[in-house]
Amino acid sequence: MSDFLESPAPPLLATRPKLEQLLRRNDLWRGHSQTFTGQAHWGSGYIQLDQALLHNGWPLSTLVEVCQARNTQCEWLLLAPVVRHACAQGGYTILLNPPSRPYVPGLIQQNINLDQLIVVQTSNKADFIASLVDILRAPVCPLLLGWEPVQPLSYTELRKCQLATTDHPGLCILFRQHHQQQQSSPASLRLSTRLDAQYLELNLFKQRGKLRNRPVQIPLPGHWQALPLHRQLGLPVHKESPLPQQRGKLLAFSSQPQSQPQSQPQQKP
């Protein structure tokens, strides 16, 4: 009996980490404390957004959730800088279940290499989750943009996606419906978007250690802003006798000179 009491502690107890060792970890969140800043990140390309994010950029190796209306589709305005950054890093940017076909002329205008974009479509929710997990395991995919299927993901399914991102060194962003922000999610960063006449408004409603009360406003490009209505819109159009002003505008946009009609020879009586 005495030999049993005097035996040394098991190796498992001897190697158990102490509290001081755990507190020295950079990835340990201490509630409202902002002392941990060791997580890798990518700059968003917008100063006002980087100032609102905890690590001054999009956090890597975690799940980022963006809630937006179905008819908004401001993904490329928000993420064009990080897509260009991912292309510069090499590898491929995966578009998982995009709601529509990417507009190629717009991507070329944003200086995005089309050879590094891959579109993956799935038919059901199970295939979506399996594809997301497999893509995150690939070392040649620094950026994954996924759009939630028609059937919403449950918390357990979102947790599976979050766990898959922990071993992925790149950025993973999941787009969801606007009303899904009321659902609990294991994503470390959650934000919602709203498109205004002049701004893309971002509301960060979940972030570890740092939140702001006012939204972030990203100015829209000039060609995105709504154009004023034409002053003659709604007036009746007379096809038989067009207005002189309309005819002058049409000629002004013509690049080639108009040929003058030849005079008809007069017939002798």
Side-chain angles (χ1 to χ4, degrees):
M1 186 67 178
S2 59
D3 295 339
F4 177 77
L5 294 176
E6 294 176 359
S7 61
L12 180 62
L13 297 178
T15 59
R16 180 175 297 176
K18 298 181 180 180
L19 179 60
E20 292 79 6
Q21 296 176 349
L22 294 176
L23 292 177
R24 287 196 294 267
R25 292 174 59 95
N26 291 329
D27 58 349
L28 182 65
W29 182 40
R30 308 181 188 180
H32 296 285
S33 175
Q34 300 182 22
T35 56
F36 68 106
T37 57
Q39 187 172 4
H41 64 278
W42 284 355
S44 66
Y46 303 101
I47 299 177
Q48 58 272 42
L49 180 57
D50 288 341
Q51 293 176 351
L53 295 173
L54 176 62
H55 302 282
N56 296 325
W58 298 110
L60 305 182
S61 301
T62 187
L63 183 63
V64 178
E65 187 176 311
V66 178
C67 298
Q68 62 176 5
R70 175 65 67 179
N71 57 353
T72 302
Q73 298 184 3
C74 299
E75 299 92 335
W76 295 109
L77 174 64
L78 177 62
L79 298 175
V82 294
V83 173
R84 289 192 295 267
H85 178 74
C87 293
Q89 296 293 324
Y92 298 92
T93 297
I94 308 298
L95 310 180
L96 182 58
N97 269 18
S100 58
R101 182 177 300 178
Y103 185 59
V104 173
L107 298 180
I108 296 176
Q109 186 180 11
Q110 293 286 340
N111 296 323
I112 295 176
N113 188 1
L114 301 180
D115 295 333
Q116 295 178 260
L117 293 182
I118 297 179
V119 178
V120 178
Q121 293 287 355
T122 58
S123 57
N124 53 64
K125 183 169 61 172
D127 291 343
F128 175 86
I129 299 175
S131 299
L132 185 141
V133 174
D134 290 340
I135 292 172
L136 293 178
R137 291 174 180 172
V140 294
C141 173
L143 177 59
L144 171 62
L145 306 180
W147 286 261
E148 187 180 32
V150 178
Q151 298 178 349
L153 299 175
S154 63
Y155 184 90
T156 303
E157 294 166 337
L158 290 172
R159 179 63 177 170
K160 186 175 182 179
C161 297
Q162 164 66 20
L163 291 176
T165 61
T166 56
D167 296 330
H168 180 250
L171 177 61
C172 179
I173 297 182
L174 178 63
F175 296 96
R176 308 185 69 195
Q177 288 291 312
H178 191 269
H179 63 272
Q180 295 295 342
Q181 59 181 320
Q182 304 298 330
Q183 177 190 1
S184 299
S185 173
S188 60
L189 174 62
R190 304 182 70 192
L191 55 102
S192 61
T193 64
R194 189 180 69 89
L195 187 62
D196 200 352
Q198 298 180 349
Y199 298 95
L200 174 60
E201 190 173 276
L202 308 176
N203 180 26
L204 282 70
F205 60 92
K206 180 184 178 181
Q207 184 176 211
R208 294 175 180 175
K210 182 179 181 180
L211 278 179
R212 53 183 294 163
N213 297 327
R214 62 183 186 276
V216 178
Q217 292 182 338
I218 298 178
L220 297 180
H223 58 276
W224 276 59
Q225 299 181 13
L227 298 177
L229 298 178
H230 196 274
R231 57 185 178 86
Q232 294 183 353
L233 184 64
L235 297 179
V237 178
H238 303 282
K239 297 183 179 180
E240 294 80 5
S241 58
L243 296 176
Q245 296 179 357
Q246 294 178 341
R247 179 178 299 176
K249 291 181 179 179
L250 291 176
L251 293 177
F253 283 102
S254 177
S255 59
Q256 296 181 356
Q258 299 290 331
S259 59
Q260 297 294 334
Q262 298 180 358
S263 59
Q264 298 293 335
Q266 298 180 359
Q267 297 181 358
K268 296 182 181 180

